[in-house]
Amino acid sequence: MTGGEAGRVVVFAPSPVLTVAIEDRGGQPDVHVHAGGQGVWQARMVQALGVPVILCAALGGETGRVLRHLVADEGIDVVHVDGAFSNGAYVHDRRSGERVTIAEGPGDVLPRHTMDELYGLTVTEALNAAVAILSGPVSAEVPDQVYERLAADLSGNGSLVVADLSGTRLAAALAGGLAVLKVSHEELGLDGTDVPALAREMARLRQAGAGTVIVSRAELPALLLTPEGLSEVRMPRMAVADPRGAGDSMTAGIAAGLARGLAVPEAVRVGAAAGALNVTRRGLGTGDPGAIAKLTTRVVLHALDATPVPEPAQVTTPEELAANLTPQGTDDGAGR
């Protein structure tokens, strides 16, 4: 697999959100303000792994102005579009040990000209990078066609496109063509323990446009399907502090590995280690690079005999493919 400039990842994150979390600290409220959303969490993990990353996002209104500074303060380069809209925000109270939603603002729908400008900025940045990650919107509606066009334009010009999407957006991105697709068994509407059924669906996703398919299965080992066959991604179990964001950290780790020039199996090992370590922390998309590197050596790709036999190639429209996927309201990366 080849890409653009080595060691650089671009993340398409159309609608980051402002997050406020209230923790307990010695019986007193401890308030934390961060940038959030699937694309932000992915960019944060890529940056934590020492790989330069650029976040392409729409940032508008008061929430957008705060988000721009928060992301930049983390050392993540931001290329953004401003306009007459506002990003979403939420307030969570976690003092009880559980997440209790106090307030949540959905954010505004992105105007068409804003979406067009963000598309152009993303293409410009991604064509000069090794890897592009397509993440889903948290609040703003983004037309499915944007994902198909991005996947097609970037893949067609030599970029490695990694997607972590669901529903009709996933179907559209597949129609455009992907180097790597990461998805969970819940998003496929399948039992995580039914390996033969998952293997058949993974083969169908490869036929639909993904070069490599990774299916996460919650606490079970992820499955990896490449042209060489089906493997189980095995690694040590970790005590879970917060399962949210594990899938996004896995996607980010894979992208970071590919940007470093690693082959897909090695990049998947990095992603598995990043996802596993993230569940031991309460910060989404966070992790110590040294710990991830050590944990990577413990990840084993175990070949399975249940390698699917692809069915005869057939033309499948994005609408037909989406009909077989579990609908998802937003791609927030939680708990995948």
Side-chain angles (χ1 to χ4, degrees):
M1 303 176 76
T2 60
E5 181 181 335
R8 189 179 180 211
V9 174
V10 167
V11 180
F12 173 68
S15 60
V17 294
L18 182 65
T19 74
V20 180
I22 307 171
E23 304 276 4
D24 178 77
R25 185 175 183 180
Q28 297 295 321
D30 187 20
V31 180
H32 300 265
V33 181
H34 295 290
Q38 184 184 43
V40 172
W41 297 328
Q42 291 166 341
R44 184 176 293 146
M45 177 56 75
V46 172
Q47 194 268 346
L49 290 169
V51 174
V53 60
I54 294 177
L55 187 77
C56 298
L59 303 174
E62 293 181 356
T63 48
R65 288 194 293 274
V66 175
L67 282 166
R68 186 164 66 250
H69 292 291
L70 289 174
V71 174
D73 286 348
E74 295 189 43
I76 299 171
D77 289 334
V78 185
V79 174
H80 74 281
V81 179
D82 201 347
F85 62 90
S86 292
N87 292 79
Y90 63 72
V91 179
H92 285 174
D93 189 337
R94 303 193 301 205
R95 286 175 288 182
S96 67
E98 302 292 331
R99 293 178 183 268
V100 179
T101 300
I102 303 300
E104 184 170 5
D108 298 329
V109 175
L110 297 180
R112 182 182 60 80
H113 68 274
T114 298
M115 195 66 256
D116 289 343
E117 187 176 352
L118 178 58
Y119 185 95
L121 289 176
T122 302
V123 169
T124 299
E125 296 294 339
L127 289 178
N128 293 316
V131 179
I133 299 177
L134 303 185
S135 70
V138 178
S139 53
E141 288 300 318
V142 176
D144 296 343
Q145 293 79 6
V146 170
Y147 288 94
E148 181 174 356
R149 290 171 53 216
L150 274 175
D153 288 347
L154 298 179
S155 297
N157 284 281
S159 295
L160 299 180
V161 182
V162 178
D164 188 349
L165 301 166
S166 62
T168 57
R169 296 186 186 102
L170 166 57
L174 282 169
L178 301 171
V180 177
L181 168 65
K182 184 268 165 192
V183 67
S184 72
H185 74 277
E186 293 99 337
E187 290 162 345
L188 296 178
L190 295 173
D191 183 348
T193 65
D194 192 343
V195 174
L198 287 169
R200 289 191 295 272
E201 180 64 12
M202 293 169 76
R204 189 174 69 85
L205 292 171
R206 284 202 71 241
Q207 286 187 327
T212 293
V213 179
I214 301 105
V215 174
S216 58
R217 299 187 292 160
E219 72 281 356
L220 296 174
L223 297 177
L224 168 67
L225 181 62
T226 68
E228 287 69 40
L230 184 70
S231 299
E232 194 174 64
V233 185
R234 298 178 178 178
M235 63 177 308
R237 291 184 177 272
M238 309 293 287
V240 178
D242 188 346
R244 283 168 39 102
D248 296 323
S249 290
M250 171 180 272
T251 301
I254 293 170
L258 293 174
R260 289 174 174 167
L262 298 180
V264 168
E266 294 304 317
V268 169
R269 288 189 176 95
V270 175
L277 187 65
N278 188 232
V279 303
T280 68
R281 307 162 65 96
R282 295 196 181 277
L284 300 181
T286 63
D288 177 74
I292 292 174
K294 290 181 180 179
L295 199 56
T296 298
T297 65
R298 305 290 299 276
V299 178
V300 176
L301 301 185
H302 177 74
L304 298 179
D305 294 331
T307 301
V309 177
E311 299 175 356
Q314 56 183 351
V315 177
T316 303
T317 68
E319 291 76 15
E320 291 170 336
L321 182 61
N324 296 320
L325 299 172
T326 301
Q328 300 289 319
T330 59
D331 298 277
D332 63 2
R336 294 215 299 274

